[in-house]
Amino acid sequence: MSGQKQAKTKLITREGYNQLKTEHDELWFKKRPEVTKIVSWAASLGDRSENADYTFNKRLLRQIDSRIRYLRKRLEDLQIVDYSPQQAGKVFFGAWVEVEDEDGNSLKFRIVGPDEIYGRTDYISIDAPMARALLKKQVDDSATVTTPAGTKEWWVTEIYYPQPA
């Protein structure tokens, strides 16, 4: 299995999907046309080899196009998971969970898809060892989490789901 890249889970919350869609639309309808206009203007000035505006914006355009391609492919593959009343009282995808260890240290986080964790310290991926250990647990259940640092016991103290607007 070494050398192979593990496939990302294709689950996402509706909020996470909407954020990725908004990012795509911002890049495609606003940012890309602005940068394309600058590249065209800079190219019209002649010698492109020493034209910093052209060089910088051409690189920026490649980065934007790369991100747009990634987002389009990813948005097609993702499966939106909405809250279901059957989830109440147990830890499933999309849950906010509060846990406590034997020393009284507590953590609070939401279990989401891997595309949603960036820029957030209160979200963890469904693929994380903590999330996997907590799935289907209820309040007062314990979960043993194995990490590179060792094994640790956590108790579930609270579970709730954001309610759809």
Side-chain angles (χ1 to χ4, degrees):
M1 183 96 180
S2 67
Q4 287 183 333
K5 192 175 178 185
Q6 185 180 6
K8 281 186 185 179
T9 299
K10 294 181 179 184
L11 303 178
I12 193 165
T13 63
R14 184 160 304 276
E15 301 96 320
Y17 184 89
N18 291 341
Q19 284 179 329
L20 290 181
K21 180 79 171 92
T22 298
E23 179 187 355
H24 169 273
D25 292 350
E26 175 77 14
L27 289 171
W28 181 249
F29 294 113
K30 188 168 185 239
K31 189 77 172 170
R32 190 180 192 287
E34 289 171 3
V35 175
T36 302
K37 200 178 294 181
I38 294 169
V39 168
S40 297
W41 167 80
S44 73
L45 299 178
D47 185 9
R48 296 175 187 171
S49 63
E50 294 182 18
N51 186 329
D53 278 329
Y54 178 82
T55 307
F56 173 79
N57 286 291
K58 190 69 175 170
R59 185 178 323 118
L60 181 58
L61 190 58
R62 281 193 300 271
Q63 292 168 349
I64 290 170
D65 285 345
S66 175
R67 182 67 178 163
I68 288 170
R69 278 192 305 276
Y70 171 79
L71 288 171
R72 284 185 176 169
K73 185 173 179 357
R74 195 67 183 149
L75 287 167
E76 269 182 25
D77 289 346
L78 290 169
Q79 177 186 345
I80 298 171
V81 177
D82 288 314
Y83 172 75
S84 167
Q86 292 101 333
Q87 292 174 260
K90 289 193 176 189
V91 177
F92 288 106
F93 185 84
W96 279 98
V97 183
E98 194 167 321
V99 293
E100 190 174 295
D101 68 8
E102 61 269 2
D103 299 326
N105 301 315
S106 66
L107 296 172
K108 182 179 179 178
F109 48 80
R110 186 174 186 198
I111 299 174
V112 296
D115 296 280
E116 301 177 77
I117 60 174
Y118 302 102
R120 298 287 304 246
T121 56
D122 57 346
Y123 278 15
I124 66 169
S125 170
I126 186 75
D127 298 326
M130 174 72 88
R132 292 286 182 204
L134 290 171
L135 286 177
K136 299 181 183 175
K137 301 289 187 202
Q138 301 178 63
V139 171
D140 294 331
D141 284 353
S142 70
T144 304
V145 181
T146 305
T147 67
T151 303
K152 192 167 185 178
E153 195 81 17
W154 292 89
W155 285 267
V156 179
T157 58
E158 187 178 1
I159 304 165
Y160 65 93
Y161 291 87
Q163 297 305 312

PDB file of all heavy atoms in Angstrom, residues 31-68:
ATOM      1  N   LYS A  31     -12.547  36.727 -11.000  1.00  0.00           N
ATOM      2  CA  LYS A  31     -11.088  36.817 -10.948  1.00  0.00           C
ATOM      3  C   LYS A  31     -10.434  36.488 -12.294  1.00  0.00           C
ATOM      4  O   LYS A  31      -9.554  37.213 -12.760  1.00  0.00           O
ATOM      5  CB  LYS A  31     -10.573  35.864  -9.857  1.00  0.00           C
ATOM      6  CG  LYS A  31      -9.118  36.008  -9.555  1.00  0.00           C
ATOM      7  CD  LYS A  31      -8.856  37.216  -8.722  1.00  0.00           C
ATOM      8  CE  LYS A  31      -7.395  37.219  -8.277  1.00  0.00           C
ATOM      9  NZ  LYS A  31      -7.014  38.458  -7.666  1.00  0.00           N
ATOM     10  N   ARG A  32     -10.852  35.400 -12.951  1.00  0.00           N
ATOM     11  CA  ARG A  32     -10.240  34.995 -14.208  1.00  0.00           C
ATOM     12  C   ARG A  32     -10.402  36.055 -15.295  1.00  0.00           C
ATOM     13  O   ARG A  32      -9.428  36.394 -15.975  1.00  0.00           O
ATOM     14  CB  ARG A  32     -10.786  33.643 -14.668  1.00  0.00           C
ATOM     15  CG  ARG A  32      -9.992  33.075 -15.833  1.00  0.00           C
ATOM     16  CD  ARG A  32     -10.523  31.730 -16.303  1.00  0.00           C
ATOM     17  NE  ARG A  32      -9.590  31.095 -17.208  1.00  0.00           N
ATOM     18  CZ  ARG A  32      -9.377  31.488 -18.456  1.00  0.00           C
ATOM     19  NH1 ARG A  32     -10.011  32.529 -18.958  1.00  0.00           N
ATOM     20  NH2 ARG A  32      -8.499  30.857 -19.218  1.00  0.00           N
ATOM     21  N   PRO A  33     -11.616  36.608 -15.495  1.00  0.00           N
ATOM     22  CA  PRO A  33     -11.742  37.653 -16.519  1.00  0.00           C
ATOM     23  C   PRO A  33     -10.867  38.887 -16.228  1.00  0.00           C
ATOM     24  O   PRO A  33     -10.306  39.471 -17.154  1.00  0.00           O
ATOM     25  CB  PRO A  33     -13.231  38.027 -16.480  1.00  0.00           C
ATOM     26  CG  PRO A  33     -13.903  36.809 -15.931  1.00  0.00           C
ATOM     27  CD  PRO A  33     -12.926  36.204 -14.968  1.00  0.00           C
ATOM     28  N   GLU A  34     -10.733  39.250 -14.944  1.00  0.00           N
ATOM     29  CA  GLU A  34      -9.880  40.396 -14.590  1.00  0.00           C
ATOM     30  C   GLU A  34      -8.424  40.135 -14.963  1.00  0.00           C
ATOM     31  O   GLU A  34      -7.765  40.985 -15.567  1.00  0.00           O
ATOM     32  CB  GLU A  34      -9.960  40.677 -13.080  1.00  0.00           C
ATOM     33  CG  GLU A  34     -11.273  41.256 -12.616  1.00  0.00           C
ATOM     34  CD  GLU A  34     -11.393  41.309 -11.087  1.00  0.00           C
ATOM     35  OE1 GLU A  34     -10.427  40.938 -10.383  1.00  0.00           O
ATOM     36  OE2 GLU A  34     -12.460  41.728 -10.604  1.00  0.00           O
ATOM     37  N   VAL A  35      -7.921  38.954 -14.603  1.00  0.00           N
ATOM     38  CA  VAL A  35      -6.521  38.613 -14.877  1.00  0.00           C
ATOM     39  C   VAL A  35      -6.302  38.437 -16.384  1.00  0.00           C
ATOM     40  O   VAL A  35      -5.279  38.867 -16.919  1.00  0.00           O
ATOM     41  CB  VAL A  35      -6.090  37.351 -14.088  1.00  0.00           C
ATOM     42  CG1 VAL A  35      -4.688  36.913 -14.462  1.00  0.00           C
ATOM     43  CG2 VAL A  35      -6.172  37.621 -12.590  1.00  0.00           C
ATOM     44  N   THR A  36      -7.267  37.845 -17.078  1.00  0.00           N
ATOM     45  CA  THR A  36      -7.159  37.672 -18.532  1.00  0.00           C
ATOM     46  C   THR A  36      -7.038  39.031 -19.221  1.00  0.00           C
ATOM     47  O   THR A  36      -6.240  39.207 -20.152  1.00  0.00           O
ATOM     48  CB  THR A  36      -8.382  36.902 -19.074  1.00  0.00           C
ATOM     49  OG1 THR A  36      -8.454  35.648 -18.413  1.00  0.00           O
ATOM     50  CG2 THR A  36      -8.289  36.682 -20.564  1.00  0.00           C
ATOM     51  N   LYS A  37      -7.783  40.012 -18.743  1.00  0.00           N
ATOM     52  CA  LYS A  37      -7.729  41.362 -19.306  1.00  0.00           C
ATOM     53  C   LYS A  37      -6.335  41.970 -19.117  1.00  0.00           C
ATOM     54  O   LYS A  37      -5.774  42.579 -20.032  1.00  0.00           O
ATOM     55  CB  LYS A  37      -8.795  42.233 -18.621  1.00  0.00           C
ATOM     56  CG  LYS A  37      -9.181  43.474 -19.388  1.00  0.00           C
ATOM     57  CD  LYS A  37     -10.263  44.264 -18.675  1.00  0.00           C
ATOM     58  CE  LYS A  37     -11.551  43.464 -18.628  1.00  0.00           C
ATOM     59  NZ  LYS A  37     -12.637  44.187 -17.963  1.00  0.00           N
ATOM     60  N   ILE A  38      -5.752  41.774 -17.941  1.00  0.00           N
ATOM     61  CA  ILE A  38      -4.408  42.304 -17.652  1.00  0.00           C
ATOM     62  C   ILE A  38      -3.364  41.608 -18.527  1.00  0.00           C
ATOM     63  O   ILE A  38      -2.477  42.261 -19.080  1.00  0.00           O
ATOM     64  CB  ILE A  38      -4.057  42.146 -16.151  1.00  0.00           C
ATOM     65  CG1 ILE A  38      -4.981  43.020 -15.304  1.00  0.00           C
ATOM     66  CG2 ILE A  38      -2.601  42.493 -15.896  1.00  0.00           C
ATOM     67  CD1 ILE A  38      -4.911  42.737 -13.805  1.00  0.00           C
ATOM     68  N   VAL A  39      -3.486  40.284 -18.678  1.00  0.00           N
ATOM     69  CA  VAL A  39      -2.540  39.532 -19.511  1.00  0.00           C
ATOM     70  C   VAL A  39      -2.620  40.018 -20.954  1.00  0.00           C
ATOM     71  O   VAL A  39      -1.590  40.230 -21.601  1.00  0.00           O
ATOM     72  CB  VAL A  39      -2.793  37.998 -19.412  1.00  0.00           C
ATOM     73  CG1 VAL A  39      -2.015  37.239 -20.479  1.00  0.00           C
ATOM     74  CG2 VAL A  39      -2.432  37.489 -18.031  1.00  0.00           C
ATOM     75  N   SER A  40      -3.833  40.197 -21.464  1.00  0.00           N
ATOM     76  CA  SER A  40      -4.000  40.680 -22.844  1.00  0.00           C
ATOM     77  C   SER A  40      -3.388  42.064 -23.018  1.00  0.00           C
ATOM     78  O   SER A  40      -2.695  42.339 -24.006  1.00  0.00           O
ATOM     79  CB  SER A  40      -5.482  40.741 -23.218  1.00  0.00           C
ATOM     80  OG  SER A  40      -6.033  39.461 -23.188  1.00  0.00           O
ATOM     81  N   TRP A  41      -3.627  42.948 -22.067  1.00  0.00           N
ATOM     82  CA  TRP A  41      -3.063  44.301 -22.118  1.00  0.00           C
ATOM     83  C   TRP A  41      -1.536  44.247 -22.085  1.00  0.00           C
ATOM     84  O   TRP A  41      -0.860  44.878 -22.894  1.00  0.00           O
ATOM     85  CB  TRP A  41      -3.594  45.125 -20.944  1.00  0.00           C
ATOM     86  CG  TRP A  41      -2.834  46.400 -20.735  1.00  0.00           C
ATOM     87  CD1 TRP A  41      -2.990  47.563 -21.438  1.00  0.00           C
ATOM     88  CD2 TRP A  41      -1.795  46.622 -19.783  1.00  0.00           C
ATOM     89  NE1 TRP A  41      -2.094  48.498 -20.968  1.00  0.00           N
ATOM     90  CE2 TRP A  41      -1.344  47.950 -19.959  1.00  0.00           C
ATOM     91  CE3 TRP A  41      -1.198  45.836 -18.807  1.00  0.00           C
ATOM     92  CZ2 TRP A  41      -0.334  48.502 -19.183  1.00  0.00           C
ATOM     93  CZ3 TRP A  41      -0.197  46.387 -18.046  1.00  0.00           C
ATOM     94  CH2 TRP A  41       0.228  47.703 -18.240  1.00  0.00           C
ATOM     95  N   ALA A  42      -0.980  43.457 -21.154  1.00  0.00           N
ATOM     96  CA  ALA A  42       0.476  43.357 -21.012  1.00  0.00           C
ATOM     97  C   ALA A  42       1.104  42.738 -22.260  1.00  0.00           C
ATOM     98  O   ALA A  42       2.183  43.157 -22.693  1.00  0.00           O
ATOM     99  CB  ALA A  42       0.834  42.541 -19.772  1.00  0.00           C
ATOM    100  N   ALA A  43       0.431  41.768 -22.863  1.00  0.00           N
ATOM    101  CA  ALA A  43       0.950  41.124 -24.075  1.00  0.00           C
ATOM    102  C   ALA A  43       0.980  42.114 -25.241  1.00  0.00           C
ATOM    103  O   ALA A  43       1.862  42.044 -26.096  1.00  0.00           O
ATOM    104  CB  ALA A  43       0.096  39.916 -24.430  1.00  0.00           C
ATOM    105  N   SER A  44       0.040  43.042 -25.244  1.00  0.00           N
ATOM    106  CA  SER A  44      -0.024  44.017 -26.343  1.00  0.00           C
ATOM    107  C   SER A  44       1.118  45.026 -26.305  1.00  0.00           C
ATOM    108  O   SER A  44       1.353  45.735 -27.274  1.00  0.00           O
ATOM    109  CB  SER A  44      -1.364  44.757 -26.318  1.00  0.00           C
ATOM    110  OG  SER A  44      -1.377  45.676 -25.232  1.00  0.00           O
ATOM    111  N   LEU A  45       1.850  45.068 -25.192  1.00  0.00           N
ATOM    112  CA  LEU A  45       2.950  46.024 -25.051  1.00  0.00           C
ATOM    113  C   LEU A  45       4.216  45.578 -25.778  1.00  0.00           C
ATOM    114  O   LEU A  45       5.184  46.324 -25.831  1.00  0.00           O
ATOM    115  CB  LEU A  45       3.265  46.271 -23.576  1.00  0.00           C
ATOM    116  CG  LEU A  45       2.123  46.860 -22.750  1.00  0.00           C
ATOM    117  CD1 LEU A  45       2.554  47.000 -21.296  1.00  0.00           C
ATOM    118  CD2 LEU A  45       1.683  48.212 -23.305  1.00  0.00           C
ATOM    119  N   GLY A  46       4.232  44.360 -26.270  1.00  0.00           N
ATOM    120  CA  GLY A  46       5.407  43.904 -27.022  1.00  0.00           C
ATOM    121  C   GLY A  46       6.200  42.855 -26.287  1.00  0.00           C
ATOM    122  O   GLY A  46       5.669  41.827 -25.916  1.00  0.00           O
ATOM    123  N   ASP A  47       7.488  43.113 -26.062  1.00  0.00           N
ATOM    124  CA  ASP A  47       8.441  42.142 -25.501  1.00  0.00           C
ATOM    125  C   ASP A  47       7.934  41.557 -24.184  1.00  0.00           C
ATOM    126  O   ASP A  47       7.957  42.209 -23.156  1.00  0.00           O
ATOM    127  CB  ASP A  47       9.806  42.808 -25.302  1.00  0.00           C
ATOM    128  CG  ASP A  47      10.870  41.832 -24.840  1.00  0.00           C
ATOM    129  OD1 ASP A  47      10.586  40.611 -24.841  1.00  0.00           O
ATOM    130  OD2 ASP A  47      11.966  42.276 -24.488  1.00  0.00           O
ATOM    131  N   ARG A  48       7.519  40.290 -24.226  1.00  0.00           N
ATOM    132  CA  ARG A  48       6.941  39.646 -23.044  1.00  0.00           C
ATOM    133  C   ARG A  48       8.001  39.125 -22.086  1.00  0.00           C
ATOM    134  O   ARG A  48       7.724  38.919 -20.921  1.00  0.00           O
ATOM    135  CB  ARG A  48       6.045  38.492 -23.472  1.00  0.00           C
ATOM    136  CG  ARG A  48       4.855  38.971 -24.261  1.00  0.00           C
ATOM    137  CD  ARG A  48       4.042  37.818 -24.769  1.00  0.00           C
ATOM    138  NE  ARG A  48       2.999  38.331 -25.653  1.00  0.00           N
ATOM    139  CZ  ARG A  48       2.236  37.588 -26.394  1.00  0.00           C
ATOM    140  NH1 ARG A  48       2.382  36.275 -26.386  1.00  0.00           N
ATOM    141  NH2 ARG A  48       1.327  38.120 -27.161  1.00  0.00           N
ATOM    142  N   SER A  49       9.208  38.898 -22.567  1.00  0.00           N
ATOM    143  CA  SER A  49      10.249  38.294 -21.729  1.00  0.00           C
ATOM    144  C   SER A  49      10.652  39.182 -20.556  1.00  0.00           C
ATOM    145  O   SER A  49      11.055  38.692 -19.516  1.00  0.00           O
ATOM    146  CB  SER A  49      11.477  37.934 -22.559  1.00  0.00           C
ATOM    147  OG  SER A  49      12.042  39.125 -23.099  1.00  0.00           O
ATOM    148  N   GLU A  50      10.538  40.471 -20.719  1.00  0.00           N
ATOM    149  CA  GLU A  50      10.924  41.393 -19.643  1.00  0.00           C
ATOM    150  C   GLU A  50       9.731  42.155 -19.081  1.00  0.00           C
ATOM    151  O   GLU A  50       9.897  43.168 -18.411  1.00  0.00           O
ATOM    152  CB  GLU A  50      11.981  42.374 -20.154  1.00  0.00           C
ATOM    153  CG  GLU A  50      13.278  41.689 -20.506  1.00  0.00           C
ATOM    154  CD  GLU A  50      14.345  42.664 -20.970  1.00  0.00           C
ATOM    155  OE1 GLU A  50      14.205  43.882 -20.701  1.00  0.00           O
ATOM    156  OE2 GLU A  50      15.306  42.202 -21.581  1.00  0.00           O
ATOM    157  N   ASN A  51       8.548  41.668 -19.362  1.00  0.00           N
ATOM    158  CA  ASN A  51       7.335  42.339 -18.929  1.00  0.00           C
ATOM    159  C   ASN A  51       6.825  41.671 -17.647  1.00  0.00           C
ATOM    160  O   ASN A  51       6.236  40.599 -17.685  1.00  0.00           O
ATOM    161  CB  ASN A  51       6.291  42.265 -20.050  1.00  0.00           C
ATOM    162  CG  ASN A  51       5.045  43.056 -19.748  1.00  0.00           C
ATOM    163  OD1 ASN A  51       4.667  43.198 -18.592  1.00  0.00           O
ATOM    164  ND2 ASN A  51       4.411  43.571 -20.781  1.00  0.00           N
ATOM    165  N   ALA A  52       7.079  42.312 -16.505  1.00  0.00           N
ATOM    166  CA  ALA A  52       6.705  41.740 -15.196  1.00  0.00           C
ATOM    167  C   ALA A  52       5.191  41.555 -15.070  1.00  0.00           C
ATOM    168  O   ALA A  52       4.731  40.556 -14.516  1.00  0.00           O
ATOM    169  CB  ALA A  52       7.231  42.615 -14.074  1.00  0.00           C
ATOM    170  N   ASP A  53       4.413  42.523 -15.570  1.00  0.00           N
ATOM    171  CA  ASP A  53       2.953  42.395 -15.513  1.00  0.00           C
ATOM    172  C   ASP A  53       2.496  41.138 -16.241  1.00  0.00           C
ATOM    173  O   ASP A  53       1.664  40.381 -15.744  1.00  0.00           O
ATOM    174  CB  ASP A  53       2.262  43.609 -16.153  1.00  0.00           C
ATOM    175  CG  ASP A  53       2.157  44.791 -15.222  1.00  0.00           C
ATOM    176  OD1 ASP A  53       2.043  44.556 -13.998  1.00  0.00           O
ATOM    177  OD2 ASP A  53       2.174  45.933 -15.706  1.00  0.00           O
ATOM    178  N   TYR A  54       3.061  40.940 -17.432  1.00  0.00           N
ATOM    179  CA  TYR A  54       2.681  39.770 -18.232  1.00  0.00           C
ATOM    180  C   TYR A  54       3.085  38.482 -17.523  1.00  0.00           C
ATOM    181  O   TYR A  54       2.269  37.580 -17.339  1.00  0.00           O
ATOM    182  CB  TYR A  54       3.331  39.830 -19.617  1.00  0.00           C
ATOM    183  CG  TYR A  54       3.014  38.624 -20.459  1.00  0.00           C
ATOM    184  CD1 TYR A  54       1.811  38.540 -21.153  1.00  0.00           C
ATOM    185  CD2 TYR A  54       3.890  37.547 -20.535  1.00  0.00           C
ATOM    186  CE1 TYR A  54       1.494  37.427 -21.905  1.00  0.00           C
ATOM    187  CE2 TYR A  54       3.583  36.414 -21.281  1.00  0.00           C
ATOM    188  CZ  TYR A  54       2.391  36.365 -21.963  1.00  0.00           C
ATOM    189  OH  TYR A  54       2.076  35.252 -22.693  1.00  0.00           O
ATOM    190  N   THR A  55       4.342  38.387 -17.097  1.00  0.00           N
ATOM    191  CA  THR A  55       4.870  37.176 -16.474  1.00  0.00           C
ATOM    192  C   THR A  55       4.098  36.814 -15.209  1.00  0.00           C
ATOM    193  O   THR A  55       3.661  35.680 -15.030  1.00  0.00           O
ATOM    194  CB  THR A  55       6.369  37.347 -16.135  1.00  0.00           C
ATOM    195  OG1 THR A  55       7.044  37.758 -17.306  1.00  0.00           O
ATOM    196  CG2 THR A  55       6.972  36.072 -15.622  1.00  0.00           C
ATOM    197  N   PHE A  56       3.914  37.792 -14.320  1.00  0.00           N
ATOM    198  CA  PHE A  56       3.216  37.552 -13.057  1.00  0.00           C
ATOM    199  C   PHE A  56       1.772  37.119 -13.298  1.00  0.00           C
ATOM    200  O   PHE A  56       1.294  36.138 -12.725  1.00  0.00           O
ATOM    201  CB  PHE A  56       3.245  38.806 -12.179  1.00  0.00           C
ATOM    202  CG  PHE A  56       2.407  38.674 -10.941  1.00  0.00           C
ATOM    203  CD1 PHE A  56       2.884  37.977  -9.834  1.00  0.00           C
ATOM    204  CD2 PHE A  56       1.125  39.209 -10.880  1.00  0.00           C
ATOM    205  CE1 PHE A  56       2.100  37.827  -8.692  1.00  0.00           C
ATOM    206  CE2 PHE A  56       0.328  39.065  -9.742  1.00  0.00           C
ATOM    207  CZ  PHE A  56       0.829  38.372  -8.652  1.00  0.00           C
ATOM    208  N   ASN A  57       1.056  37.848 -14.123  1.00  0.00           N
ATOM    209  CA  ASN A  57      -0.361  37.571 -14.334  1.00  0.00           C
ATOM    210  C   ASN A  57      -0.597  36.306 -15.144  1.00  0.00           C
ATOM    211  O   ASN A  57      -1.608  35.634 -14.963  1.00  0.00           O
ATOM    212  CB  ASN A  57      -1.061  38.782 -14.948  1.00  0.00           C
ATOM    213  CG  ASN A  57      -1.254  39.868 -13.913  1.00  0.00           C
ATOM    214  OD1 ASN A  57      -2.044  39.712 -12.993  1.00  0.00           O
ATOM    215  ND2 ASN A  57      -0.496  40.948 -14.019  1.00  0.00           N
ATOM    216  N   LYS A  58       0.336  35.964 -16.029  1.00  0.00           N
ATOM    217  CA  LYS A  58       0.226  34.709 -16.767  1.00  0.00           C
ATOM    218  C   LYS A  58       0.354  33.532 -15.790  1.00  0.00           C
ATOM    219  O   LYS A  58      -0.396  32.561 -15.859  1.00  0.00           O
ATOM    220  CB  LYS A  58       1.328  34.645 -17.840  1.00  0.00           C
ATOM    221  CG  LYS A  58       1.157  33.523 -18.810  1.00  0.00           C
ATOM    222  CD  LYS A  58      -0.031  33.750 -19.710  1.00  0.00           C
ATOM    223  CE  LYS A  58      -0.071  32.649 -20.754  1.00  0.00           C
ATOM    224  NZ  LYS A  58      -1.290  32.643 -21.507  1.00  0.00           N
ATOM    225  N   ARG A  59       1.285  33.641 -14.830  1.00  0.00           N
ATOM    226  CA  ARG A  59       1.445  32.606 -13.802  1.00  0.00           C
ATOM    227  C   ARG A  59       0.184  32.537 -12.937  1.00  0.00           C
ATOM    228  O   ARG A  59      -0.314  31.462 -12.618  1.00  0.00           O
ATOM    229  CB  ARG A  59       2.675  32.892 -12.939  1.00  0.00           C
ATOM    230  CG  ARG A  59       2.958  31.768 -11.938  1.00  0.00           C
ATOM    231  CD  ARG A  59       4.187  31.978 -11.078  1.00  0.00           C
ATOM    232  NE  ARG A  59       5.300  32.593 -11.733  1.00  0.00           N
ATOM    233  CZ  ARG A  59       5.834  33.774 -11.382  1.00  0.00           C
ATOM    234  NH1 ARG A  59       5.337  34.453 -10.374  1.00  0.00           N
ATOM    235  NH2 ARG A  59       6.862  34.263 -12.024  1.00  0.00           N
ATOM    236  N   LEU A  60      -0.340  33.696 -12.547  1.00  0.00           N
ATOM    237  CA  LEU A  60      -1.560  33.758 -11.747  1.00  0.00           C
ATOM    238  C   LEU A  60      -2.730  33.113 -12.498  1.00  0.00           C
ATOM    239  O   LEU A  60      -3.523  32.366 -11.910  1.00  0.00           O
ATOM    240  CB  LEU A  60      -1.890  35.214 -11.395  1.00  0.00           C
ATOM    241  CG  LEU A  60      -3.117  35.461 -10.535  1.00  0.00           C
ATOM    242  CD1 LEU A  60      -3.026  34.724  -9.206  1.00  0.00           C
ATOM    243  CD2 LEU A  60      -3.295  36.958 -10.298  1.00  0.00           C
ATOM    244  N   LEU A  61      -2.824  33.363 -13.786  1.00  0.00           N
ATOM    245  CA  LEU A  61      -3.885  32.783 -14.606  1.00  0.00           C
ATOM    246  C   LEU A  61      -3.778  31.254 -14.639  1.00  0.00           C
ATOM    247  O   LEU A  61      -4.784  30.552 -14.527  1.00  0.00           O
ATOM    248  CB  LEU A  61      -3.823  33.353 -16.030  1.00  0.00           C
ATOM    249  CG  LEU A  61      -4.994  33.036 -16.948  1.00  0.00           C
ATOM    250  CD1 LEU A  61      -6.312  33.524 -16.357  1.00  0.00           C
ATOM    251  CD2 LEU A  61      -4.761  33.681 -18.316  1.00  0.00           C
ATOM    252  N   ARG A  62      -2.564  30.731 -14.725  1.00  0.00           N
ATOM    253  CA  ARG A  62      -2.364  29.270 -14.696  1.00  0.00           C
ATOM    254  C   ARG A  62      -2.824  28.693 -13.351  1.00  0.00           C
ATOM    255  O   ARG A  62      -3.444  27.633 -13.296  1.00  0.00           O
ATOM    256  CB  ARG A  62      -0.900  28.906 -14.956  1.00  0.00           C
ATOM    257  CG  ARG A  62      -0.501  28.952 -16.414  1.00  0.00           C
ATOM    258  CD  ARG A  62       0.840  28.284 -16.676  1.00  0.00           C
ATOM    259  NE  ARG A  62       1.934  28.885 -15.948  1.00  0.00           N
ATOM    260  CZ  ARG A  62       2.678  29.902 -16.379  1.00  0.00           C
ATOM    261  NH1 ARG A  62       2.418  30.456 -17.547  1.00  0.00           N
ATOM    262  NH2 ARG A  62       3.661  30.374 -15.640  1.00  0.00           N
ATOM    263  N   GLN A  63      -2.505  29.403 -12.257  1.00  0.00           N
ATOM    264  CA  GLN A  63      -2.931  28.945 -10.928  1.00  0.00           C
ATOM    265  C   GLN A  63      -4.452  28.957 -10.802  1.00  0.00           C
ATOM    266  O   GLN A  63      -5.053  28.023 -10.266  1.00  0.00           O
ATOM    267  CB  GLN A  63      -2.303  29.814  -9.840  1.00  0.00           C
ATOM    268  CG  GLN A  63      -0.805  29.645  -9.720  1.00  0.00           C
ATOM    269  CD  GLN A  63      -0.169  30.720  -8.834  1.00  0.00           C
ATOM    270  OE1 GLN A  63      -0.800  31.714  -8.473  1.00  0.00           O
ATOM    271  NE2 GLN A  63       1.096  30.514  -8.504  1.00  0.00           N
ATOM    272  N   ILE A  64      -5.075  30.012 -11.294  1.00  0.00           N
ATOM    273  CA  ILE A  64      -6.539  30.120 -11.257  1.00  0.00           C
ATOM    274  C   ILE A  64      -7.159  28.991 -12.071  1.00  0.00           C
ATOM    275  O   ILE A  64      -8.087  28.308 -11.618  1.00  0.00           O
ATOM    276  CB  ILE A  64      -7.010  31.501 -11.779  1.00  0.00           C
ATOM    277  CG1 ILE A  64      -6.632  32.593 -10.784  1.00  0.00           C
ATOM    278  CG2 ILE A  64      -8.512  31.498 -12.055  1.00  0.00           C
ATOM    279  CD1 ILE A  64      -6.829  34.006 -11.310  1.00  0.00           C
ATOM    280  N   ASP A  65      -6.640  28.768 -13.286  1.00  0.00           N
ATOM    281  CA  ASP A  65      -7.181  27.706 -14.142  1.00  0.00           C
ATOM    282  C   ASP A  65      -7.021  26.336 -13.504  1.00  0.00           C
ATOM    283  O   ASP A  65      -7.912  25.492 -13.581  1.00  0.00           O
ATOM    284  CB  ASP A  65      -6.510  27.730 -15.522  1.00  0.00           C
ATOM    285  CG  ASP A  65      -7.013  28.890 -16.384  1.00  0.00           C
ATOM    286  OD1 ASP A  65      -8.055  29.488 -16.030  1.00  0.00           O
ATOM    287  OD2 ASP A  65      -6.362  29.188 -17.398  1.00  0.00           O
ATOM    288  N   SER A  66      -5.895  26.118 -12.847  1.00  0.00           N
ATOM    289  CA  SER A  66      -5.644  24.853 -12.172  1.00  0.00           C
ATOM    290  C   SER A  66      -6.657  24.637 -11.048  1.00  0.00           C
ATOM    291  O   SER A  66      -7.226  23.552 -10.899  1.00  0.00           O
ATOM    292  CB  SER A  66      -4.218  24.839 -11.617  1.00  0.00           C
ATOM    293  OG  SER A  66      -4.003  23.683 -10.858  1.00  0.00           O
ATOM    294  N   ARG A  67      -6.899  25.680 -10.260  1.00  0.00           N
ATOM    295  CA  ARG A  67      -7.861  25.578  -9.155  1.00  0.00           C
ATOM    296  C   ARG A  67      -9.280  25.371  -9.696  1.00  0.00           C
ATOM    297  O   ARG A  67     -10.049  24.583  -9.146  1.00  0.00           O
ATOM    298  CB  ARG A  67      -7.787  26.842  -8.274  1.00  0.00           C
ATOM    299  CG  ARG A  67      -8.706  26.824  -7.081  1.00  0.00           C
ATOM    300  CD  ARG A  67      -8.325  25.779  -6.060  1.00  0.00           C
ATOM    301  NE  ARG A  67      -9.230  25.831  -4.907  1.00  0.00           N
ATOM    302  CZ  ARG A  67      -9.366  24.882  -4.033  1.00  0.00           C
ATOM    303  NH1 ARG A  67      -8.631  23.788  -4.106  1.00  0.00           N
ATOM    304  NH2 ARG A  67     -10.208  25.002  -3.034  1.00  0.00           N
ATOM    305  N   ILE A  68      -9.631  26.051 -10.772  1.00  0.00           N
ATOM    306  CA  ILE A  68     -10.958  25.885 -11.378  1.00  0.00           C
ATOM    307  C   ILE A  68     -11.139  24.440 -11.854  1.00  0.00           C
ATOM    308  O   ILE A  68     -12.181  23.831 -11.603  1.00  0.00           O
ATOM    309  CB  ILE A  68     -11.177  26.883 -12.540  1.00  0.00           C
ATOM    310  CG1 ILE A  68     -11.364  28.299 -11.987  1.00  0.00           C
ATOM    311  CG2 ILE A  68     -12.382  26.485 -13.391  1.00  0.00           C
ATOM    312  CD1 ILE A  68     -11.356  29.389 -13.050  1.00  0.00           C
TER     313      ILE A  68
END
